[in-house]
Amino acid sequence: MSEDRILGIDFGGTKVALGLADRDGTLLATRRLDTDAHAGAEQVVVRALAAARALLADEGASPGCIGVVSPGIVLPDRILLAPNVPGWEQLRLAELVAAEFPAVPISVGTDAKAAALAEWRWGALAGADPAVFLSLGTGIAAAVLVGGRLLTGANGAAGEIGYNLLSPQDTEGFASGAAPLEEAVGGRGLGGRASELLGRPVTAGELFALAKENVEAKELVTAALDELSMHVANLAIALDPERIAVGGGLVRSADVLLPALADRLAHAVPFPPQLVAARFDQDAALLGAVALALGG
């Protein structure tokens, strides 16, 4: 059995991705399974660990180290800012994985921050300093790297821009259970408003496609991009990054998304950063788990 393999596990709101990689960040084999969030947190972890065992058996490998990422801030005894899966915030994620793989080094962290490490180590942020990874999907988050090191913040919450306020009238924000920017421009919020507007279920990706021919959809997309681009420009003004890489599910609509962000950066930021699509698209967080296991 090869022991020079890294096992990565990416727990997401709708799916779990597992991958076996070498030390150069090349994914050798992957598996995916539905989170099935309504059934609760523990069953997700149990099924994911069983799938990880099966993946290792199929590949004739044992892990030299393991990286695990999740939405939220992963602490030893709980996970903060991760309300989308019932019971997720009560998980001791590192302990559960360690119980399945005793004596194997395990690293855990936040998915967007880990994805930034992967993009800096192997992808679109290589050589950039400072660098920002902007994750635009179901949730909204940013990750900042300075000298190749993540800016975590005092509580591990640096870059959680989904909680940004939209106006002076947002006087409570997080305290009232809201994530104002995420609700306004994240995939779930956009899909919900599009479904209500058009009278049928619509995903955020479908909304961007519809915006090319439907006036109401176009107005909704335009308003969302105006809001998002303002926050990205303010982030760039505050941090003065060399490069911003944009990843997450919404990047499937890069032909609409990236020009809107680039235009705002060009006009609003004294020293506009380079704006690029992330290299790893939908595997960024999974490769981030691998990068985390390798020490960042």
Side-chain angles (χ1 to χ4, degrees):
M1 266 196 179
S2 172
E3 295 184 356
D4 194 32
R5 296 290 180 254
I6 299 89
L7 174 65
I9 305 176
D10 167 26
F11 287 100
T14 58
K15 55 84 182 166
V16 181
L18 304 102
L20 200 61
D22 63 20
R23 292 184 175 272
D24 294 323
T26 301
L27 287 170
L28 306 172
T30 60
R31 299 284 189 278
R32 280 174 169 76
L33 56 149
D34 290 336
T35 301
D36 197 13
H38 71 278
E42 288 194 13
Q43 58 83 27
V44 183
V45 179
V46 169
R47 289 190 296 112
L49 293 177
R53 279 291 185 196
L55 173 61
L56 291 164
D58 289 347
E59 297 299 317
S62 59
C65 53
I66 300 173
V68 183
V69 299
S70 158
I73 300 166
V74 184
L75 302 177
D77 59 343
R78 63 194 185 283
I79 299 173
L80 305 179
L81 306 184
N84 291 327
V85 178
W88 201 256
E89 294 185 323
Q90 284 72 54
L91 284 180
R92 296 173 177 260
L93 192 54
E95 288 185 12
L96 291 170
V97 178
E100 183 71 21
F101 295 98
V104 178
I106 295 168
S107 302
V108 296
T110 301
D111 49 6
K113 288 183 174 63
L117 287 174
E119 290 291 343
W120 187 83
R121 187 163 185 155
W122 301 301
L125 293 176
D129 187 22
V132 173
F133 176 74
L134 186 63
S135 179
L136 305 178
T138 302
I140 302 292
V144 181
L145 295 122
V146 180
R149 296 179 64 86
L150 279 170
L151 178 66
T152 57
N155 301 286
E160 294 290 340
I161 62 171
Y163 294 95
N164 279 15
L165 304 178
L166 305 184
S167 74
Q169 286 69 46
D170 286 335
T171 54
E172 293 183 328
F174 173 74
S176 64
L181 182 60
E182 183 168 299
E183 291 165 15
V185 304
R188 180 174 287 126
L190 278 178
R193 288 202 303 286
S195 299
E196 184 176 337
L197 179 69
L198 300 174
R200 60 181 177 84
V202 178
T203 67
E206 291 168 342
L207 171 65
F208 276 88
L210 287 168
K212 297 174 182 178
E213 56 188 33
N214 182 291
V215 173
E216 291 178 310
K218 183 176 181 179
E219 289 177 349
L220 180 54
V221 166
T222 298
L225 291 179
D226 284 347
E227 183 72 51
L228 174 63
S229 64
M230 178 184 68
H231 291 267
V232 175
N234 284 339
L235 185 68
I237 291 168
L239 297 174
D240 188 25
E242 180 180 350
R243 190 178 307 147
I244 298 175
V246 186
L250 293 184
V251 178
R252 291 169 180 159
S253 303
D255 59 328
V256 178
L257 178 66
L258 293 185
L261 295 180
D263 183 67
R264 182 64 72 98
L265 290 171
H267 288 89
V269 181
F271 302 97
Q274 300 169 10
L275 182 74
V276 298
R279 176 180 177 183
F280 297 118
D281 191 26
Q282 305 311 304
D283 283 329
L286 179 58
L287 281 168
V290 173
L292 200 65
L294 290 172

